[in-house]
Amino acid sequence: MSSNPNTNFSSLQRGRPYPLGATPDQHGVNFAVFSANADRILLCLFDEGGTETARLPMPDCIDEVWCGYLPEAQPGLRYGYRAEGRYEPKAGHRFNVNKLLTDPYAKQLVGDVKHGPELYGYRLNAARADLSFNDADSAALMPKCLVTNDHYDWQGVKKPDVPWSETVIYEAHVRGISMRRDGIEDSKRGTFAALADPRFIDHLKQLGVTAVELLPIHAFLDEPFLEEKGLSNYWGYNTLGFFAPHPAYLSSGDPNEMRDAVKALHAAGLEVILDVVYNHSCEGNERGATMSFRGLDNSSYYRLIPGQERYYVSDSGCGNTMNLPHPRVLQMVMDSLRWWATAYQIDGFRFDLCSTLGREPTGFDPNGGFFDAIRQDPVLSEVKLIAEPWDIGPGGYQLGHHPPGFAEWNDKYRDSVRKYWRGDSHQRPELADRLLGSSATFNHRRRKPWASVNFISAHDGFTLHDVVTYNGKHNDANAENNRDGSDSNWSNNWGTEGPSDDEGINETRERVKRSQLTTLVFSQGTPMLLGGDEFGRTQDGNNNAFCQDNELSWLDWSLLDTPAGSSLYAFTSRLLELRKGMPILHSLDFPTGEEIPDAGVRDIEWFNTEGDPLMPDEWDDAEGRCLALRRAKVGPDNTMLVLLLCNSSNQDESFKLPPPALGWHLLIDSAEATTEVRPITEDALLVRAHSVSLLSAQTGGPAGEAPAEAEAA
């Protein structure tokens, strides 16, 4: 990146209102920033030591975009904005020229936010609270924006373009994956340089996932209340800038380090999905600091309570809500997404609290402005789009109601699978629907099974290991007296709370983990694994580790070298290998129950342990804990079949194999860490307690011929 030590500029020339942000050319830099209500915008320049060297009034405002051109400026120039205007909080305006503001379109930030009273537009201890005015200057506490030259040589490496139906997601944290990894330079731990480590990429490839979904990497900051407790915002859902990578994730300080990591993952055939937070910003409610959007145009960027514009709508639960119905705010979100998809070659986005983004004045609307804009965009309509389909606002739970083109995190899948495998009553109908991609929820508007992102655990909640180790949350480390985090974990410790030396308890825990993973991988939909679950990662029962930037949250790679960890990793890899080789398990369509000609079977059928079709009274049996699912799919030369036998009871059960008689092969028995693939010569199979067996067969070949996936095994 170019260096531009010269900051002795005296004035701006008239500039262009588009593109927004700081755009260099051969002769200088164009600056453009939106504010509908400011009286004047000042461009502030800084030297490398943080000293403000110039305040240059923007010479023009075109269509509410303030713009100016700085001749001879180059990439490397450090800058920020100040905005003059009314300080009338009751009317929704909070302009304060004493506050340095980051450019909403800044591509890189240098320096950290230093919390202090100067950051606030009002005096913290004043009797009138946020109605008071604070004339202290905040520039010394604020990071500076950097003009960037964004040329990058991708060396011919293209996006993998993995079809949705073949996608397997691995949710990870840039910092967490490498902080406890041996053999990584200290300066690179927790950064994108470590994300590109060949050992991590090899781990993902051997595991069998196809995409890495990264927790927020946009520039964010810690909340003051966490710093006061000696904690930090580890997850990163507290965005300061929607166009800049988080500075702490760049060991070199150069954004190209992130591009290097994306290129390395792409070269290995792995996609990169970003968890993005456009529903709120880090500025909080009316008592929050003034760092960017609030100071530039509070009433445009944020949704304010009608008639009480001093206060913010907080559908996010984080103090404020970005005003997506405003065309300029919507433009900023679309420009940000397009920036990451093009300049960083990102393959997809997971939208935090997506219900907030789709909420219009009349309520959540799957055909609202945000969804319309993204679905018609020639770039964004071609990437993977994943919604977190809830928030705390009115009508906030919208699972299954997002428009075509979006997949959705399916928390009902998580809850159903956990309940079934801990032995809850009346779970067969729920499990059946989840195995078929939650068709009751997603099979409409021509959506496909992949729309259901299935998971057992994610960053928010218990890890897979903790699901079978703790009955209750243990969040004392969060310094909230264990009040935070969900109480609905649907977990089972199988006899003792926390780690155990009892071999029987530990064997049951490992078996149930394998059963849950088998269910996940062989359900229709898009499977998602939480990073580290494949080798038994634990958070010691903490189900809300958002503030734990320490060994509690970081992946402990030494577990991979333990007998239990290496065994679980091998088992998970085997599951994903089978899934990849069996197209029937990632079908493009929901099954219909129709008969397959000349095969004597239907594409989907349910059976009891006697091999008979399940009757309505059996579906209604609250204590029924065994379920057999047979699926069939016509191939080029034959019909492929799989049979899933599930037993969540406390005792072994014998399953008669349903007619017609076929040459079944056992592929997976979750009661064992390893399964010897073998033909089933009997007419029944013993499925042990808390376990699931997977069999495959085919019609049209010689009797007893092994299916292709069995031969490959």
Side-chain angles (χ1 to χ4, degrees), residues 17 20-21 32-42 58 60-67 81-86 92-96 101 103-105 292-301 326 328-329 331-332:
L20 288 153
V33 61
F34 161 73
S35 179
N37 293 294
D39 294 333
R40 190 167 72 148
I41 298 289
L42 305 173
M58 290 291 227
D60 204 356
C61 184
I62 303 172
D63 296 331
E64 300 180 334
V65 175
W66 297 81
C67 50
Y81 291 115
R82 298 178 188 269
E84 295 180 353
R86 293 177 290 164
H93 300 301
R94 295 177 179 269
F95 293 102
N96 188 331
L101 309 172
D103 181 0
Y105 278 70
S292 183
F293 312 103
R294 175 174 285 135
L296 284 168
D297 194 346
N298 183 67
S299 65
S300 293
Y301 279 107
H326 191 291
R328 287 296 187 182
V329 181
Q331 177 190 0
M332 178 185 69

Side-chain angles (χ1 to χ4, degrees), residues 554-567:
W554 304 336
L555 269 62
D556 181 2
W557 290 95
S558 69
L559 293 172
L560 193 56
D561 297 324
T562 65
S566 62
S567 173

Side-chain angles (χ1 to χ4, degrees), residues 199-218:
R199 293 174 302 164
F200 178 62
I201 293 176
D202 288 345
H203 176 85
L204 298 179
K205 291 292 291 181
Q206 293 171 17
L207 180 60
V209 299
T210 68
V212 180
E213 182 175 304
L214 299 174
L215 267 69
I217 59 87
H218 289 171

Side-chain angles (χ1 to χ4, degrees), residues 488-514:
S488 300
N489 297 296
W490 316 118
S491 57
N492 190 340
N493 65 24
W494 300 102
T496 189
E497 188 75 352
S500 174
D501 294 327
D502 186 292
E503 292 185 6
I505 290 175
N506 288 332
E507 194 282 329
T508 299
R509 289 174 174 176
E510 294 302 314
R511 179 183 299 193
V512 174
K513 281 196 283 187
R514 292 192 295 265

Side-chain angles (χ1 to χ4, degrees), residues 150-480:
D150 297 302
H151 172 74
Y152 182 77
D153 184 3
W154 290 94
Q155 298 178 320
V157 176
K158 303 295 184 182
K159 293 184 177 183
D161 197 21
V162 179
W164 256 120
S165 61
E166 299 175 15
T167 297
V168 180
I169 298 172
Y170 185 92
E171 192 193 27
H173 189 288
V174 170
R175 183 166 168 81
I177 62 169
S178 60
M179 289 302 295
R180 300 183 70 178
R181 192 75 188 256
D182 292 337
I184 294 176
E185 295 178 27
D186 288 345
S187 63
K188 294 182 178 180
R189 291 182 186 276
T191 70
F192 281 105
L195 183 69
D197 187 279
R199 293 174 302 164
F200 178 62
I201 293 176
D202 288 345
H203 176 85
L204 298 179
K205 291 292 291 181
Q206 293 171 17
L207 180 60
V209 299
T210 68
V212 180
E213 182 175 304
L214 299 174
L215 267 69
I217 59 87
H218 289 171
F220 65 89
L221 55 91
D222 297 328
E223 295 90 335
F225 81 91
L226 289 176
E227 289 191 342
E228 291 171 2
K229 297 177 180 180
L231 302 171
S232 61
N233 191 320
Y234 173 65
W235 286 351
Y237 292 91
N238 201 38
T239 308
L240 174 62
F242 296 116
F243 291 77
H246 187 52
Y249 293 167
L250 302 171
S251 65
S252 62
D254 187 343
N256 281 343
E257 182 179 313
M258 178 177 170
R259 293 183 174 97
D260 290 342
V262 173
K263 181 169 66 176
L265 289 161
H266 281 178
L270 295 163
E271 294 186 316
V272 180
I273 298 170
L274 298 185
D275 192 336
V276 288
V277 189
Y278 296 110
N279 55 80
H280 74 283
S281 84
C282 67
E283 290 184 305
N285 62 14
E286 67 276 1
R287 299 294 186 97
T290 296
M291 293 179 282
S292 183
F293 312 103
R294 175 174 285 135
L296 284 168
D297 194 346
N298 183 67
S299 65
S300 293
Y301 279 107
Y302 293 119
R303 290 180 57 204
L304 307 178
I305 296 177
Q308 302 181 67
E309 283 77 10
R310 175 184 177 183
Y311 303 106
Y312 296 78
V313 173
S314 185
D315 291 344
S316 66
C318 299
N320 63 58
T321 302
M322 301 301 294
N323 188 19
L324 265 292
H326 191 291
R328 287 296 187 182
V329 181
L330 179 60
Q331 177 190 0
M332 178 185 69
V333 172
M334 293 300 112
D335 288 348
S336 170
L337 291 168
R338 202 178 300 108
W339 166 252
W340 294 105
T342 55
Y344 285 83
Q345 295 291 293
I346 296 302
D347 303 279
F349 302 94
R350 180 265 191 189
F351 296 94
D352 178 64
L353 304 184
C354 196
S355 296
T356 301
L357 307 182
R359 186 171 286 109
E360 299 289 329
T362 56
F364 178 82
D365 184 356
N367 297 311
F370 167 73
F371 294 122
D372 287 349
I374 203 168
R375 291 171 64 203
Q376 64 78 41
D377 189 280
V379 173
L380 301 178
S381 62
E382 294 300 310
V383 304
K384 289 183 167 69
L385 305 170
I386 305 170
E388 182 185 43
W390 52 78
D391 66 10
I392 66 169
Y397 191 73
Q398 294 293 334
L399 180 67
H401 298 154
H402 285 69
F406 275 76
E408 303 178 39
W409 269 29
N410 189 348
D411 62 321
K412 288 187 176 180
Y413 181 94
R414 174 199 63 201
D415 295 349
S416 295
V417 172
R418 288 187 183 186
K419 290 177 183 178
Y420 177 81
W421 284 112
R422 77 171 186 174
D424 285 15
S425 61
H426 213 313
Q427 292 303 307
R428 281 201 297 203
E430 279 287 319
L431 180 68
D433 187 45
R434 305 305 161 213
L435 288 168
L436 299 186
S438 298
S439 59
T441 303
F442 292 101
N443 190 10
H444 61 92
R445 298 191 70 182
R446 303 292 182 178
R447 299 179 79 180
K448 297 298 183 180
W450 55 257
S452 175
V453 176
N454 301 329
F455 62 99
I456 300 166
S457 53
H459 69 273
D460 189 358
F462 276 162
T463 67
L464 176 64
H465 181 80
D466 290 355
V467 169
V468 300
T469 308
Y470 298 92
N471 280 352
K473 64 187 182 183
H474 296 265
N475 296 354
D476 293 318
N478 298 351
E480 295 187 35

